[in-house]
Amino acid sequence: MIVMNNIAFGQYVPGTSWIYKLDPRTKILLTIAFIVLIFLIPNLYGMLIALALFVIMFLTTRISIIKVLKGIKGVIFLLLFTIMLQLIYTKSSEVPPLVSFDMSLGLYQILIMVGLLALYFTTKKYIKFTFSYLLVIVFLGFLVMWNNPFNLFSWPFNLNFLEFKFDIYAVGLEKAGFIFLRIVLMIGMTSLLTLTTMSTDINNGLEWILSPLKLLHIPVGVFAMLISLTLRFIPTLLIESKKIMNAQASRGVDFQEGRLMDKVNQIISLLIPMFVISFKRADDLSNAMEARGYIIDGKRTKLDELKFNYRDFIAYAVTIALFAVVIWSMVYYG
């Protein structure tokens, strides 16, 4: 097994808890079912209940929470951007806002925010948590626009170009929390699948699930193998890219600083060896599969036959019950 401390997606973590003893077909089907279930939940309260159930299920698997959090780390910007859009554009004419900020934008505020950006780009290479540092800078910029320090003075040349209100409504907070939990739960469920299921088991499970497509003469085995290999080599290629970046950084390449053309050249210098490594690994993999007698779309036998047990039937029963509760809540609450 490849040791990957900073990569969560596609990494299998050995374990002995109940989720490891489920059939891979069950885990794949339940992951799809739970994602569908998440989209059927009609309100924030239902999403909070789903989050509580996920936390209980996660704690019983005895998997490190750091693994799942690393899977969420890559979409933090998307989450924050979505939350801000909901807070800005979700309004209500029936109820007053929860919080109202009197915002203004003037010459001095623009100069201060330009200074904050200059401070960020000058000092970010010395800060370990760059994204958190950026959030602090953005928050300071918001404070400058909200609590305009120049309003304390009766200067005739304050030069305020724009004054507006930033209102936060309860419905906006509810929608932001709803979408936030939906994305987090989707990532958490897919992370549990890849963390607790080996790539070969995922391949076998997908091939069985897609087997009805064989009636349409679709090469199901080939598609299942492609998906399995993709999941397997995502963390491997990420590790290789990290090695290349470290090697180039030791030669003086700075991926965080420089002009636009410099960054384009840095990306090209990263992509070219990545393509070379990818083709080399693909060639090695094809030779290894050919040496082991793999034939595309050929009839193959399984070393380990997949079998359902009582745990799988319990999992299916619980899933059906959850679907019934969600559908009932949708009908009852409209």
Side-chain angles (χ1 to χ4, degrees):
M1 186 187 73
I2 299 175
V3 178
M4 295 168 285
N5 296 326
N6 298 318
I7 300 171
F9 186 79
Q11 177 185 3
Y12 171 72
V13 179
T16 57
S17 61
W18 62 271
I19 196 170
Y20 289 91
K21 298 175 183 178
L22 290 177
D23 190 280
R25 296 169 293 182
T26 299
K27 286 188 275 188
I28 295 171
L29 290 174
L30 293 187
T31 300
I32 298 172
F34 277 118
I35 291 176
V36 173
L37 193 66
I38 290 169
F39 277 94
L40 291 178
I41 294 176
N43 52 48
L44 179 62
Y45 302 105
M47 200 65 73
L48 289 173
I49 295 174
L51 177 64
L53 293 175
F54 172 77
V55 171
I56 294 172
M57 181 177 66
F58 173 77
L59 292 177
T60 58
T61 59
R62 297 195 294 272
I63 299 174
S64 173
I65 192 172
I66 302 298
K67 299 292 184 181
V68 177
L69 291 178
K70 286 179 179 178
I72 300 174
K73 180 181 176 182
V75 295
I76 289 179
F77 180 80
L78 174 63
L79 290 172
L80 295 177
F81 181 73
T82 304
I83 291 173
M84 287 304 301
L85 284 181
Q86 292 298 325
L87 294 179
I88 292 172
Y89 290 105
T90 304
K91 307 292 184 181
S92 176
S93 58
E94 301 176 356
V95 295
L98 290 177
V99 184
S100 182
F101 298 97
D102 293 321
M103 311 293 287
S104 61
L105 183 63
L107 174 63
Y108 300 113
Q109 293 159 301
I110 292 175
L111 293 176
I112 291 175
M113 288 188 286
V114 170
L116 288 174
L117 288 176
L119 175 66
Y120 169 74
F121 286 108
T122 305
T123 59
K124 70 174 183 177
K125 57 184 177 182
Y126 305 109
I127 306 298
K128 183 177 180 181
F129 302 102
T130 308
F131 187 75
S132 300
Y133 184 42
L134 176 61
L135 292 180
V136 172
I137 296 295
V138 172
F139 178 71
L140 292 176
F142 175 83
L143 288 180
V144 170
M145 293 180 64
W146 169 42
N147 191 17
N148 186 358
F150 300 103
N151 286 337
L152 301 175
F153 305 95
S154 58
W155 295 343
F157 46 87
N158 279 346
L159 297 178
N160 282 337
F161 306 136
L162 179 64
E163 293 185 356
F164 60 97
K165 285 184 176 293
F166 176 45
D167 299 328
I168 297 179
Y169 291 84
V171 63
L173 284 175
E174 184 176 344
K175 286 187 177 181
F178 182 81
I179 295 176
F180 174 83
L181 291 178
R182 174 180 285 175
I183 296 175
V184 169
L185 287 173
M186 288 175 57
I187 297 174
M189 290 304 303
T190 53
S191 296
L192 278 183
L193 172 64
T194 57
L195 289 171
T196 61
T197 314
M198 292 186 293
S199 58
T200 53
D201 290 335
I202 292 177
N203 177 37
N204 294 334
L206 286 174
E207 188 173 352
W208 182 88
I209 292 171
L210 298 176
S211 57
L213 296 178
K214 292 180 180 179
L215 299 175
L216 302 176
H217 303 287
I218 296 176
V220 172
V222 176
F223 284 120
M225 180 64 70
L226 288 175
I227 295 173
S228 176
L229 292 177
T230 300
L231 293 174
R232 170 61 184 83
F233 279 96
I234 285 176
T236 302
L237 294 178
L238 289 176
I239 290 175
E240 293 295 341
S241 66
K242 186 65 175 178
K243 290 180 180 179
I244 295 171
M245 292 177 67
N246 291 336
Q248 294 184 356
S250 66
R251 294 175 174 84
V253 177
D254 191 351
F255 287 93
Q256 296 182 351
E257 303 295 334
R259 299 171 300 175
L260 178 61
M261 288 304 301
D262 294 334
K263 290 186 177 296
V264 171
N265 293 329
Q266 292 164 5
I267 292 175
I268 293 174
S269 66
L270 175 65
L271 289 178
I272 292 176
M274 280 299 300
F275 275 113
V276 173
I277 291 174
S278 300
F279 286 125
K280 184 178 183 303
R281 285 191 173 273
D283 186 56
D284 293 340
L285 178 62
S286 64
N287 291 333
M289 294 173 69
E290 185 179 359
R292 288 166 173 79
Y294 179 81
I295 301 175
I296 296 178
D297 205 23
K299 187 176 181 180
R300 295 185 297 137
T301 58
K302 307 291 184 182
L303 179 62
D304 298 317
E305 293 292 335
L306 299 178
K307 295 180 179 180
F308 291 109
N309 55 43
Y310 71 93
R311 297 184 184 88
D312 301 296
F313 297 114
I314 293 175
Y316 287 126
V318 172
T319 304
I320 293 173
L322 290 175
F323 265 96
V325 171
V326 171
I327 294 173
W328 171 82
S329 65
M330 292 175 64
V331 174
Y332 185 78
Y333 292 104

